[in-house]
Amino acid sequence: MRDIEADDYSSVIMEWIESSPERLLNSPRLDKFQKADMSNTSFQDISARLGYPYLYCHHGNCEHIIVLTDLRLFSSHDIQDKNRYPLLTSYWKLPRKRCCVCEEFTAMWTTVDDQMAAETPAFFCTTCFKMLHYTIDGKKVTDFQAYPFFDELSTLLESAATTSKQI
């Protein structure tokens, strides 16, 4: 059940879409974005493309990439308990890209032309990236170009590692 105090992460995206009629004309698929109460939504309510990555975000910073790889008709040979679906058939097995500073957390940022880094591109967890590149009041310490970094495993492990560290 959704907490009434919980943040609505979709509101920023929906407001961005609705803020520009030109954006909708140039990208007609944006008009198809919908928002729904997750406690009343199941996989059968969602239209999805096979092989296309979808983002599931909760708790503000815990992100999961979901890729539907197989779709078929339900048969008598399948598990009959609908509560056991969707089935997890695989998970990412490659090593994650770690932060070049702490070497503990997953890289969430990459920089180029960065005087604070030993190599380019360099990869940082969010904590090390902010501490190394910005002052307490949010000003850049030096010139660099930064981009959010994504590898399929990073979004699954970053929140778990940070949470266990805080406990």
Side-chain angles (χ1 to χ4, degrees):
M1 185 59 70
R2 185 176 171 84
D3 185 339
I4 58 171
E5 304 265 332
D7 292 329
D8 179 3
Y9 303 119
S10 68
S11 63
V12 175
I13 297 168
M14 300 305 284
E15 289 170 12
W16 175 79
I17 291 170
E18 294 166 1
S19 69
S20 172
E22 292 173 13
R23 187 176 294 122
L24 285 172
L25 288 173
N26 294 332
S27 302
R29 290 190 309 174
L30 290 177
D31 196 28
K32 293 181 173 47
F33 274 51
Q34 296 178 1
K35 162 177 159 168
D37 181 355
M38 292 302 292
S39 60
N40 297 324
T41 304
S42 67
F43 273 94
Q44 69 185 15
D45 301 322
I46 299 171
S47 296
R49 293 187 333 201
L50 291 178
Y52 188 82
Y54 291 91
L55 174 67
Y56 169 59
C57 177
H58 61 102
H59 299 300
N61 66 351
C62 188
E63 299 176 342
H64 304 274
I65 299 299
I66 299 171
V67 179
L68 302 176
T69 58
D70 187 25
L71 177 69
R72 57 196 177 88
L73 292 174
F74 191 71
S75 78
S76 60
H77 300 290
D78 293 317
I79 299 169
Q80 299 299 304
D81 183 2
K82 290 183 181 180
N83 293 322
R84 303 232 351 239
Y85 290 92
L87 294 174
L88 176 64
T89 58
S90 65
Y91 58 93
W92 197 258
K93 297 175 186 170
L94 295 176
R96 61 188 169 135
K97 188 73 165 172
R98 294 183 185 264
C99 173
C100 66
V101 175
C102 69
E103 296 181 346
E104 179 178 355
F105 294 112
T106 304
M108 302 297 278
W109 292 93
T110 184
T111 62
V112 292
D113 302 325
D114 183 356
Q115 297 172 358
M116 304 299 280
E119 58 189 18
T120 191
F123 300 90
F124 301 91
C125 68
T126 299
T127 303
C128 292
F129 173 72
K130 288 180 180 177
M131 287 192 322
L132 189 64
H133 293 92
Y134 294 93
T135 62
I136 293 174
D137 54 345
K139 295 186 178 147
K140 283 174 97 173
V141 174
T142 186
D143 288 333
F144 60 90
Q145 292 178 333
Y147 305 95
F149 175 73
F150 173 79
D151 74 34
E152 286 77 359
L153 206 51
S154 67
T155 55
L156 299 173
L157 299 175
E158 177 73 7
S159 294
T162 304
T163 302
S164 65
K165 191 92 164 161
Q166 293 173 350
I167 294 176

